């Protein structure tokens, strides 16, 4: 199966389902946004350090550090107590607190969203002040913990180094030497962590509050990004759903794929007017010529139409095709025009010239058959729907013509293949029908 056929089966065959999967989440998101209460946002601006980050890695590390501190439980709870707010939980405040960096600097914007504008202003101010206090005061646990760790490691190293001269065996001396090496490595790691923290500017105690919390402004609960995200999620879900549908109930990707699976050519496509009307179809001339040639090539006397269309539709189509082929006349008497600049062709008889029917000559045959068909016996080919065939009394040679809509289920293809194998009638072609039909059981299949 080709890639474009897979697209036709998944997207073209289930586009209504895909549209539903895309539109439904957007409608739900819109309903939730319209039913929710208004929200207000207040912002404060903080400089975490006077030292500017020199690389993007340092800037991102500083942003992560500030976001982790300002949304930590200890800082949020302290801010709630300071702002005298008792009806908000620390987890809810942390979820509604956003941190963004101003360019590549060490300046950060603290944004707090709440349903009450005064509460949003209080929380933004208290959180920004707590953030500055954390970086400047004893709350800077990172540097403090690193310095305490370094002091403990140095004391341990001095103690182990004092035991080394008193070692009473080579094994004990080796153990103490190895322990000294491990302590030296830990000291190097702690010193590297301290240098990294100082390079990030978070250990120099130069944080400051650039602007206190401003007046809270109303923010929309629903944005275009939210709708686009809901639609994208719905589209991915829909693609997964239609893929599963195609796995369990596959379809044939159009009349050409149907003909390829059936090893039969595509003779034409029924016009659009036929799909929406119960009247006899106005089949185009090229389809009539192709069907007439296919029947003559097979030497059949009866062309049998089969497909998922209702019996009355197939019967009307069979009647129209038989009348049109009779009007066209016998193909053996149809004159032709020369092609290939009149050069002889090796494969068309003994030195004969290549001759074919042009579209203009076919159109003339439709309007005035006498201009194309020479006097001679009329067409003896009969066209019948499958339910009209009496296989007992009718001894003529039969040939099947499949009349199939686009994206027909594989069950229909297997039905036609089984029909060919059971009856021994060859499939001489496929007629495309753009209408979708439900399969009706005809007299032939009822037995």
């Amino acid at each position: 199966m080709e890639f474009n056929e897979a697209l036709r089966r998944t997207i073209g065959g289930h586009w209504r389902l895909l549209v539903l999967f895309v539109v439904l989440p957007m409608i739900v998101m819109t309903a939730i946004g319209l039913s929710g209460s208004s929200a207000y946002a207040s912002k404060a601006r903080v400089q975490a350090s006077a030292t500017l980050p020199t690389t993007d890695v340092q800037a991102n590390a500083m942003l992560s550090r500030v976001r982790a501190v300002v949304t930590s439980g200890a800082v949020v709870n302290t801010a709630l107590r300071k702002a005298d707010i008792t009806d908000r939980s620390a987890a809810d405040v942390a979820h509604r607190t956003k941190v963004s960096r101003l360019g590549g600097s060490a300046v950060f914007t603290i944004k707090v969203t709440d349903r009450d504008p005064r509460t949003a202003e209080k929380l933004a101010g208290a959180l920004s002040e707590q953030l500055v206090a954390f970086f400047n005061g004893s709350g800077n646990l990172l540097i403090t913990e690193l310095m305490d760790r370094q002091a403990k490691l140095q004391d341990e190293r001095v103690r182990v180094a004092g035991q080394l001269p008193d070692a009473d065996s080579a094994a004990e001396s080796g153990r103490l030497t190895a322990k000294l090496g491990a302590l030296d490595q830990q000291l190097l790691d702690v010193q590297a962590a301290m240098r990294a923290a100082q390079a990030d500017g978070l250990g120099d105690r130069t944080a400051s509050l650039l602007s206190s919390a401003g007046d809270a402004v109303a923010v929309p609960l629903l944005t275009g990004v939210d709708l686009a995200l809901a639609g994208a999620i719905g589209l991915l879900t829909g693609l997964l759903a239609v893929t599963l549908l195609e796995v369990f109930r596959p379809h044939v990707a159009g009349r050409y794929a149907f003909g390829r699976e059936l090893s039969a050519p595509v003779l034409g496509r029924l016009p659009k007017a036929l799909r929406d009307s119960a009247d006899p179809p106005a089949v185009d001339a090229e389809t009539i010529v192709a069907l007439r040639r296919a029947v003559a090539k097979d030497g059949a006397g009866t062309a049998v139409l089969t497909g998922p269309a209702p019996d009355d539709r197939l019967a009307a189509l069979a009647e129209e095709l038989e009348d049109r082929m009779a009007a066209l006349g016998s193909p053996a008497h149809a004159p032709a025009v020369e092609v290939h600049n009149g050069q002889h062709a090796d494969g068309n008889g003994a030195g004969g010239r290549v001759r074919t029917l042009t579209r203009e000559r076919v159109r003339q045959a439709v309007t005035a058959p006498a201009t194309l068909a020479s006097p001679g016996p009329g067409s003896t080919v009969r066209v019948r729907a499958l339910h009209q065939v009496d296989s007992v009394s009718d001894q003529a040679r039969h040939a099947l013509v499949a009349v199939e809509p686009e994206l027909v289920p594989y069950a229909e293809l297997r039905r036609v293949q089984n029909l060919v194998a059971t009856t021994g009638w060859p499939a001489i072609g496929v007629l495309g029908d753009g209408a979708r039909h439900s399969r009706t059981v005809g007299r032939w299949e009822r037995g």
Side-chain angles (χ1 to χ4, degrees):
M1 181 179 61
E2 298 179 356
F3 178 72
N4 60 339
E5 292 183 356
L7 289 181
R8 289 195 63 188
R9 288 172 55 183
T10 54
I11 298 178
H14 304 278
W15 65 268
R16 294 180 181 85
L17 185 61
L18 289 176
V19 170
L20 178 63
F21 270 95
V22 172
V23 173
L24 187 59
M26 299 177 70
I27 294 176
V28 172
M29 183 67 69
T30 302
I32 294 175
L34 295 178
S35 62
S37 58
S38 300
Y40 299 87
S42 179
K43 298 179 181 179
R45 186 161 291 177
V46 173
Q47 179 175 276
S49 174
T51 304
L52 294 177
T54 58
T55 63
D56 291 339
V57 175
Q58 292 182 1
N60 292 331
M62 186 179 293
L63 174 61
S64 300
R65 172 83 169 149
V66 172
R67 184 181 290 119
V69 170
V70 80
T71 57
S72 63
V75 172
V76 173
N77 285 323
T78 303
L80 287 172
R81 289 194 302 268
K82 185 176 181 180
D84 195 20
I85 298 174
T86 58
D87 56 347
R88 301 290 189 274
S89 65
D92 184 58
V93 172
H95 177 70
R96 295 179 178 273
T97 301
K98 306 298 180 184
V99 181
S100 59
R101 187 177 68 244
L102 186 62
S105 65
V107 178
F108 299 89
T109 300
I110 312 300
K111 176 183 175 182
V112 180
T113 305
D114 195 86
R115 60 181 179 271
D116 180 57
R118 303 286 79 83
T119 301
E121 295 171 5
K122 291 179 181 180
L123 286 174
L127 285 173
S128 59
E129 291 174 0
Q130 285 301 118
L131 181 64
V132 172
F134 180 88
F135 286 138
N136 288 341
S138 59
N140 196 340
L141 301 179
L142 177 61
I143 299 298
T144 303
E145 290 178 356
L146 289 175
M147 293 179 64
D148 292 343
R149 177 65 174 164
Q150 184 182 27
K152 291 180 180 179
L153 289 174
Q154 288 175 345
D155 293 341
E156 180 69 15
R157 189 185 187 287
V158 170
R159 186 183 65 81
V160 173
Q163 295 176 356
L164 186 59
D166 300 332
D168 54 359
S169 64
E172 180 68 13
S173 177
R175 185 184 67 81
L176 294 175
T177 302
K179 190 173 183 179
L180 278 177
L183 290 172
D184 290 339
Q185 183 61 46
Q186 293 181 37
L187 282 170
L188 292 176
D189 294 341
V190 171
Q191 292 170 1
M194 292 179 63
R195 286 194 299 269
Q198 292 171 354
D200 291 340
L202 300 179
D204 54 6
R205 293 180 171 84
T206 57
S208 61
L209 182 64
L210 298 183
S211 62
S212 58
D215 295 337
V217 296
V219 295
L221 294 179
L222 184 66
T223 64
V225 176
D226 297 330
L227 290 177
L229 184 60
I233 294 175
L235 178 60
L236 293 176
T237 306
L239 289 175
L240 178 60
V242 300
T243 301
L244 291 177
L245 284 177
E246 281 299 317
V247 169
F248 292 104
R249 297 187 62 185
H251 291 74
V252 182
R255 59 188 185 276
Y256 293 103
F258 195 97
R260 184 178 65 246
E261 296 289 340
L262 199 60
S263 299
V266 176
L267 302 177
R269 177 184 173 87
L270 300 182
K272 184 177 181 180
L274 176 61
R275 292 182 245 162
D276 305 321
S277 174
D279 298 333
V283 186
D284 63 274
E286 294 184 25
T287 301
I288 297 296
V289 172
L291 178 60
R292 185 70 178 88
R293 293 288 183 175
V295 172
K297 179 181 178 181
D298 184 71
T302 302
V304 182
L305 303 185
T306 182
D311 289 345
D312 55 350
R313 177 179 169 82
L314 288 177
L317 176 60
E319 182 180 357
E320 175 68 11
L321 290 176
E322 183 172 339
D323 293 343
R324 293 289 298 279
M325 285 197 296
L328 182 62
S330 175
H333 296 83
V337 294
E338 298 180 354
V339 296
H340 296 300
N341 298 323
Q343 296 179 0
H344 294 277
D346 295 335
N348 191 30
R353 294 187 177 184
V354 178
R355 304 172 72 83
T356 183
L357 289 173
T358 63
R359 290 191 176 184
E360 185 61 30
R361 298 286 286 170
V362 170
R363 294 191 185 97
Q364 292 175 6
V366 176
T367 57
T371 62
L372 182 63
S374 301
S379 174
T380 59
V381 176
R382 297 181 303 169
V383 183
R384 298 288 185 270
L386 181 60
H387 70 280
Q388 296 175 323
V389 176
D390 188 347
S391 60
V392 177
S393 60
D394 190 354
Q395 300 299 323
R397 178 177 172 82
H398 296 72
L400 278 175
V401 176
V403 183
E404 304 295 339
E406 297 293 328
L407 298 172
V408 66
Y410 258 94
E412 171 65 13
L413 174 62
R414 290 191 292 267
R415 184 191 69 83
V416 177
Q417 290 174 336
N418 291 335
L419 186 61
V420 171
T422 302
T423 61
W425 301 341
I428 61 173
V430 177
L431 280 176
D433 185 3
R436 287 181 177 269
H437 306 289
S438 59
R439 177 67 186 156
T440 57
V441 180
R443 186 187 67 182
W444 178 277
E445 295 165 289
R446 289 194 300 264

